Amino acid sequence: RHIVPLAGQVIEPKAAARVFMDPATSDVYIDVLSLPDPPKGKQYQLWAEVDGKMVDAGMLGVAENGGQLQHMKTMPNATAFGVTLENAGGSTTPTLSALYLFGQVG
């Protein structure tokens, strides 16, 4: 199992999470260590970089801080992960100005 640490970005340097990837099944789980509560009408979204493109890896539950693994979408060949703050229900492309977390695989 690969562990990918996600570091807080400029918008929230104290934010932190870990992504767990199962290389055999490409299953992805996220463990949010620190993210501020999203404002009303907003939700965090996980993205995976696959073949140079950021693809939707699923929406994060609201109060996931602290040791709760959340199962996300299966992501074969992901090379990086990021978390953005989007309108509730998610977006088709990441809002990079609202990038909270990012980390490279390996």
Side-chain angles (χ1 to χ4, degrees), residues 7-90:
Q9 301 300 295
V10 173
I11 199 166
E12 185 67 38
K14 293 180 182 162
R18 295 178 296 184
V19 167
F20 297 88
M21 283 176 53
D22 185 326
T25 63
S26 299
D27 279 344
V28 171
Y29 297 84
I30 189 166
D31 177 17
V32 173
L33 305 172
S34 173
L35 265 178
D37 288 335
K40 189 171 177 62
K42 298 280 191 177
Q43 193 175 4
Y44 291 108
Q45 187 167 359
L46 180 67
W47 300 91
E49 186 175 320
V50 179
D51 297 328
K53 295 188 177 114
M54 297 304 280
V55 294
D56 170 38
M59 303 306 296
L60 276 64
V62 178
E64 297 290 343
N65 284 353
Q68 291 183 339
L69 283 181
Q70 183 179 342
H71 188 239
M72 305 303 282
K73 293 182 180 179
T74 301
M75 283 292 139
N77 306 317
T79 56
F81 289 94
V83 172
T84 59
L85 184 64
E86 305 291 349
N87 288 326

